[in-house]
């Protein structure tokens, strides 16, 4: 299908001016991983323990910082230490959804000061271009990147059809800051433009969770749908087996699907 999905992650670096995008592709090539861990646990201790174990196998650690019951500045210090130790980037899955002026404050201020530590964050395109412009004012000078939620993995999602297409158009107007999409598949198949696609809703052992989540396999997402990064949460940290073993299983499944895509 798409020309850019036949290129290696490393070959695609030159398609981006955004620092976070370039760093991410470099890191994926270096560590040979397209796995992102969605670490949705509620305590610092649990979070840091799992991140330390799984860190060597991921390119991106995805956080929901506001679900930690004992968040404090020390958590950020510890997180940065693990980032340096294991060489991964951080994606705060904040899903901004307000007007530009408000998201600017939400991104840079408050308790979490997301822009200070998250290399990548994301936003719903729903409010219009102002949301990207507001986040860009804060994030671009810091070398950050943004993903737009063009599709969602949950059953009954309204982010489909014309909405998804409008998200792509919005991204095109902000190529310096918008590095890609949260989506289930590659959305652009033009060889002259490239976006990084990250797909949540990935699991090898279950197909749903009882609350609307729908799971597909790494092979389906990377090989058949030409996505670039698999986002895996409970499949890794809630497994009965060892988290390292599970992380390796997903890392290998994601990377092998990518190698197969390159050879097809
Ligand atoms: P899990 O693999 O445990 O189902 O977790 C999926 C993660 O991806 C969660 O952190 C969720 O917030 C996120 N996510 C999703 O599941 N679907 C989307 O469309 C967008 C998301 O960010």
């Amino acid at each position: 299908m798409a020309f850019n999905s036949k290129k290696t992650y490393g070959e695609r670096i030159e398609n981006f001016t955004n620092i976070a995008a370039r760093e991410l592709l470099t890191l994926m090539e270096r560590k040979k991983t397209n796995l992102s861990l969605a670490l949705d646990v509620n305590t610092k201790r649990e979070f840091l323990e799992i991140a330390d174990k799984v860190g060597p196998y991921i390119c991106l650690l995805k956080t929901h910082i506001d679900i930690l019951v004992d968040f404090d500045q020390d958590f950020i210090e510890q997180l940065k230490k693990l980032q340096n130790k294991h060489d991964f980037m951080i994606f705060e899955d904040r899903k901004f959804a307000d007007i530009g002026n408000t998201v600017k404050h939400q991104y840079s201020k408050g308790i979490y000061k997301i822009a200070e530590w998250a290399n990548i964050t994301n936003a719903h395109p729903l409010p219009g271009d102002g949301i990207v412009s507001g986040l860009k004012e804060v994030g671009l000078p810091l070398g950050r990147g943004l993903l737009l939620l063009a599709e969602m993995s949950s059953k009954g999602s309204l982010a489909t059809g014309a909405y998804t297409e409008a998200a792509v158009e919005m991204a095109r107007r902000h190529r310096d800051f918008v590095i890609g999409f949260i989506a289930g598949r590659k959305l652009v198949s033009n060889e002259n433009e490239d976006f990084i696609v990250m797909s949540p809703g990935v699991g090898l052992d279950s197909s749903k969770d009882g609350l609307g989540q729908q799971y597909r396999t790494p092979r389906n997402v990377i090989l058949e749908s030409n996505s670039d990064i698999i986002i895996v949460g409970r499949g890794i940290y809630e497994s009965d087996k060892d988290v390292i073993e599970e992380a390796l299983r997903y890392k290998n499944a994601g990377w092998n699907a990518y190698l197969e895509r390159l050879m097809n």
Side-chain angles (χ1 to χ4, degrees), residues 38 40 62 64 93 95 152-153 182 200 213 215 232-234:
D40 298 337
K62 190 176 85 59
H64 277 303
D93 189 1
K95 299 190 179 68
M152 290 195 72
S153 62
I182 294 294
Q213 178 66 295
Y215 292 111
V232 184
R234 285 164 287 179

Side-chain angles (χ1 to χ4, degrees), residues 68-201:
L68 283 177
V69 294
D70 50 359
F71 172 86
D72 58 8
Q73 198 50 40
D74 173 66
F75 175 78
I76 299 299
E77 302 308 317
Q78 302 290 332
L79 181 60
K80 285 182 180 165
K81 272 189 200 155
L82 288 180
Q83 176 172 34
N84 287 334
K85 178 174 171 189
H86 296 301
D87 187 24
F88 55 70
M89 290 174 76
I90 301 169
F91 165 23
E92 163 58 22
D93 189 1
R94 174 63 179 75
K95 299 190 179 68
F96 291 102
D98 213 321
I99 61 166
N101 186 58
T102 302
V103 297
K104 227 170 94 174
H105 293 296
Q106 291 172 321
Y107 189 24
S108 59
K109 302 278 188 340
I111 297 172
Y112 303 117
K113 300 180 179 58
I114 294 164
E116 281 185 12
W117 50 269
N119 305 97
I120 295 167
T121 190
N122 57 355
H124 288 291
L126 186 77
D129 283 67
I131 189 167
V132 180
S133 306
L135 293 169
K136 182 154 75 173
E137 275 186 23
V138 172
L140 199 59
L142 295 170
R144 306 311 187 202
L146 183 73
L147 301 168
L148 289 178
L149 284 124
E151 292 181 331
M152 290 195 72
S153 62
S154 42
K155 193 167 178 358
S157 163
L158 305 180
T160 61
Y163 183 92
T164 302
E165 282 168 33
V168 173
E169 285 305 321
M170 191 180 290
R172 286 185 172 132
R173 292 190 289 272
H174 302 274
R175 288 260 24 192
D176 52 347
F177 188 51
V178 178
I179 64 172
F181 304 103
I182 294 294
R185 62 200 161 96
K186 189 167 198 73
L187 298 171
V188 172
S189 49
N190 176 348
E191 68 177 84
N192 297 316
E193 52 178 357
D194 195 3
F195 292 102
I196 300 170
V197 178
M198 307 193 189
S199 302

Side-chain angles (χ1 to χ4, degrees), residues 198-251:
M198 307 193 189
S199 302
V202 174
L204 282 164
D205 305 313
S206 38
S207 62
K208 53 187 182 189
D209 73 349
L211 289 174
Q213 178 66 295
Q214 308 174 111
Y215 292 111
R216 296 154 67 206
T217 64
R219 190 181 155 85
N220 185 253
V221 165
I222 299 288
L223 181 66
E224 289 159 33
S225 299
N226 289 309
S227 176
D228 299 309
I229 291 184
I230 52 169
I231 298 176
V232 184
R234 285 164 287 179
I236 292 176
Y237 69 81
E238 257 185 15
S239 158
D240 297 337
K241 292 176 221 141
D242 181 41
V243 285
I244 294 178
E245 221 174 281
E246 283 304 289
L248 257 169
R249 190 167 153 237
Y250 280 96
K251 175 189 184 249

